[in-house]
C-alpha cells in the first residue's frame, strides 16, 4: 500500500501555515484589504503556504522570466516576483481593472512595480500576441477554468526546457471525482487534467496544495 496525501482539516491547515515561513505584513495587509473590498471573492486568492511554496519554487529553479494568467489583487504575483530576484520580470494577464488596481497599489508598495508588467485583456489574446521568441522559465495559470486547456496549449511552447508551469485549483474542492458535478468550471478542470497528464512534452504532478496545484516541468 502506498502512503497517500490527505485533505487537510482546518486545524491541520492552521498547523501547516504556523510551521511555514509566514507571509510578511504587506501580504497580510493585501489579504485583509482584498477581503474588505471583495468579500467572498477574496477566496480566489492563493493561501499563504502556497504563496511561500511558489516563491521558493521560483527561487530554487533560478527563474528569471515568469508569466501569470489570472492576477486578481496581486498576491500570487508578489510571491512569484519576489522569487525571481532583482533582475526578474513577471508578465501578468487579467481582464479586471477593478481587481488589478489593488494589485498595482501593492506592487508599488512592495517595490516590485518596475518588475511586473500587467496586460489587461483576455489572456488567450495576450498570449497569442507575444513575439515568437518569447520564453518563460516559470508560469502560473489561475484564471477562468474553462480556458485552462487553451492557456496550456499557448504556454507550453513558450516554456524553456526545464521550465516550470503551475496550474491552480486542479482538484476543484474534490469535485473532479464527483460525476454528478457538471459545472463548466469543474468540466474545464477535468478536461485540463486529462489533457496535461497526457502531454508527453512535460513531466507533472498534481499536488494536494490549496485546492490542488499541478506542477509540470517541460522536458
Ligand atoms: C482565481 S483569480 C486569481 C487569483 C490570484 N492568482 C491570486 O492569487 O490572488 C482569477 C482571476 O482571473 C481573471 N480572469 C478571468 N477570466 C480571464 C481571462 N479570460 N483572461 C485573463 N484573466 C481572466 C479574473 O479577473 C481574476 O482576477
Amino acid at each position: 500500500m502506498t502512503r497517500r496525501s490527505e485533505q487537510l482539516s482546518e486545524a491541520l491547515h492552521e498547523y501547516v501555515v504556523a510551521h511555514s515561513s509566514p507571509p510578511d505584513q504587506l501580504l497580510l495587509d493585501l489579504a485583509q484589504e482584498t477581503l474588505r473590498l471583495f468579500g467572498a471573492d477574496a477566496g480566489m486568492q492563493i493561501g499563504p503556504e502556497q504563496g511561500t511554496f511558489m516563491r521558493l519554487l521560483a527561487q530554487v529553479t533560478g527563474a528569471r522570466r515568469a508569466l501569470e494568467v489570472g492576477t486578481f489583487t496581486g498576491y500570487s504575483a508578489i510571491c512569484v516576483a519576489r522569487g525571481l530576484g532583482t533582475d526578474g520580470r513577471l508578465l501578468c494577464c487579467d481582464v479586471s481593472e477593478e481587481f488589478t488596481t489593488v494589485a498595482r497599489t501593492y506592487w508599488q508598495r512592495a517595490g516590485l512595480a518596475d518588475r511586473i508588467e500587467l496586460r489587461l485583456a483576455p489572456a488567450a489574446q495576450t498570449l497569442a500576441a507575444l513575439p515568437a521568441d518569447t520564453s518563460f522559465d516559470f508560469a502560473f495559470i489561475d484564471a477562468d477554468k474553462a480556458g485552462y486547456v487553451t492557456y496550456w496549449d499557448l504556454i507550453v511552447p513558450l516554456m524553456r526546457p526545464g521550465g516550470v508551469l503551475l496550474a491552480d485549483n486542479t482538484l476543484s474542492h474534490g469535485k473532479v471525482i464527483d460525476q454528478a458535478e457538471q459545472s463548466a468550471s469543474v468540466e474545464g478542470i477535468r478536461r485540463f487534467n486529462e489533457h496535461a497528464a497526457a502531454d508527453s512534452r512535460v513531466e507533472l504532478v498534481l499536488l494536494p496544495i490549496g485546492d490542488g496545484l499541478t506542477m509540470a516541468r517541460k522536458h
Side-chain angles (χ1 to χ4, degrees):
M1 198 175 92
T2 54
R3 290 173 65 90
R4 63 181 179 87
S5 303
E6 298 183 55
Q7 194 72 23
L8 299 185
S9 64
E10 201 173 324
L12 202 49
H13 179 249
E14 276 173 21
Y15 185 87
V16 167
V17 173
H19 294 82
S20 302
S21 300
D24 67 358
Q25 193 56 48
L26 180 119
L27 287 174
L28 291 172
D29 289 351
L30 173 55
Q32 205 168 49
E33 182 153 3
T34 301
L35 185 61
R36 186 179 66 77
L37 291 171
F38 302 117
D41 278 352
M44 294 202 291
Q45 195 165 62
I46 61 165
E49 79 284 22
Q50 184 174 335
T52 304
F53 174 71
M54 287 171 53
R55 176 171 56 73
L56 289 175
L57 190 62
Q59 252 164 5
V60 298
T61 56
R64 287 285 170 271
R65 296 150 300 167
L67 169 72
E68 176 174 86
V69 175
T71 292
F72 190 41
T73 57
Y75 190 107
S76 51
I78 291 174
C79 298
V80 172
R82 283 176 167 170
L84 300 176
T86 49
D87 60 341
R89 290 288 176 273
L90 171 63
L91 175 61
C92 288
C93 308
D94 206 290
V95 284
S96 168
E97 180 91 56
E98 189 186 11
F99 294 152
T100 56
T101 296
V102 179
R104 285 188 199 275
T105 303
Y106 276 81
W107 295 342
Q108 197 76 45
R109 269 182 62 181
L112 294 168
D114 58 337
R115 290 184 229 160
I116 304 177
E117 182 192 345
L118 173 67
R119 297 208 188 159
L120 271 183
Q125 197 178 303
T126 299
L127 294 169
L130 291 174
D133 61 352
T134 303
S135 162
F136 295 108
D137 309 307
F138 190 97
F140 179 47
I141 302 175
D142 188 18
D144 53 310
K145 309 314 166 204
Y148 271 33
V149 168
T150 301
Y151 302 141
W152 176 268
D153 285 342
L154 288 164
I155 295 170
V156 173
L158 303 177
M159 300 304 295
R160 69 153 167 85
V164 172
L165 204 168
L166 301 175
D168 203 22
N169 305 110
T170 49
L171 289 177
S172 295
H173 302 286
K175 291 177 189 159
V176 279
I177 56 167
D178 175 0
Q179 295 315 318
E181 172 63 54
Q182 289 177 354
S183 66
S185 93
V186 175
E187 289 288 7
I189 289 293
R190 284 194 193 111
R191 258 197 324 278
F192 170 77
N193 287 340
E194 297 289 331
H195 187 73
D199 192 329
S200 59
R201 294 172 296 179
V202 301
E203 195 170 7
L204 64 76
V205 57
L206 201 174
L207 298 164
I209 295 177
D211 181 28
L213 183 69
T214 294
M215 176 176 128
R217 178 185 181 273
K218 189 173 175 188
H219 293 304

